[in-house]
Amino acid sequence: MAESRFTVAIRAQYNDHNDKCDIIARKNSEDLTPEQNAIFDQLSDEIKKRYYGAGLIIPENLEGKRVLDIGCGSGSLVFILSKLVGPTGYVVGMDISDKLIETAKSQIEYHQKAWGYSKPNCEFSVGNAEKLDFEPDSFDLIVSNGVYCLCPDKKGSFQSAYSVLKEGGQFYLSDVYAERQLPAEYHDNEFLWNRRGVDVDAELATILSSSYLKDNFNFEDIDNEPSTHRNQNPFAYLDKLLAEGNAPDFIFKANE
């Protein structure tokens, strides 16, 4: 099966992220147990700075389970799960980005030692969610976070996951979705599939470029006074929180 051109573009984008990422994203600590938070804090820095802050969904009762993470990235969730399944369990991480998988493999020994295991209980491989290369009925549990939205063949991806899941197994999915069918032309729009950076409309760009946040963005040909159609200041609420000493946590922080 030939890969979609969108899949090729997405792989290139995440390979690029792997090389350039030097940030540590905020984790969703409020959704995690104290044990899970403590495990995350023990991850290596190389793994933390390639975790994108999309949120961690961690199943319960994992000891001794065989788990597959579809779209594992650099392996942050795989390494957390490898601690929770214990030495008798096993976790497999699969991702379309060969560079992220290379990074994940380089950190296996670090986490094996951190968890106090005599041998690794996880592995990583390059693959495509639309056609998983694993034996049928080989996993007790599948997890996936923010991956299926990037798969052009959604039906094939779910069928492939079902084929490798054991009878009575569970599939934990965290993703984004549309509440209605998208127009056909959206499905063939490479710009929508392969978003590099954050693109904003002219109105928002004008506002940002004239605000005290302008140094956080790269603008071209924007030199107007900030305005909105409703004459609203989008930073008023943030200003209020700052004045009260209740500034929200940053989503990202840069490594020194």
Side-chain angles (χ1 to χ4, degrees), residues 105-157:
K105 287 181 176 179
S106 74
Q107 301 300 303
I108 291 177
E109 184 177 358
Y110 174 96
H111 293 92
Q112 174 200 333
K113 292 179 178 179
W115 307 154
Y117 295 158
S118 60
K119 60 181 181 180
N121 69 336
C122 65
E123 65 180 75
F124 297 91
S125 64
V126 177
N128 190 325
E130 296 175 355
K131 190 174 178 61
L132 298 173
D133 189 21
F134 301 108
E135 292 294 321
D137 308 315
S138 53
F139 294 98
D140 301 296
L141 186 73
I142 295 176
V143 296
S144 184
N145 189 357
V147 172
Y148 280 76
C149 60
L150 300 175
C151 295
D153 182 8
K154 304 271 191 296
K155 182 178 180 180
S157 299

Side-chain angles (χ1 to χ4, degrees), residues 218-246:
N218 180 27
F219 297 98
E220 295 181 5
D221 302 323
I222 298 294
D223 57 2
N224 300 320
E225 288 298 317
S227 63
T228 72
H229 294 312
R230 294 175 299 279
N231 296 316
Q232 293 173 319
N233 177 1
F235 303 107
Y237 183 62
L238 178 59
D239 290 339
K240 177 176 180 291
L241 292 178
L242 289 171
E244 294 172 348
N246 296 320

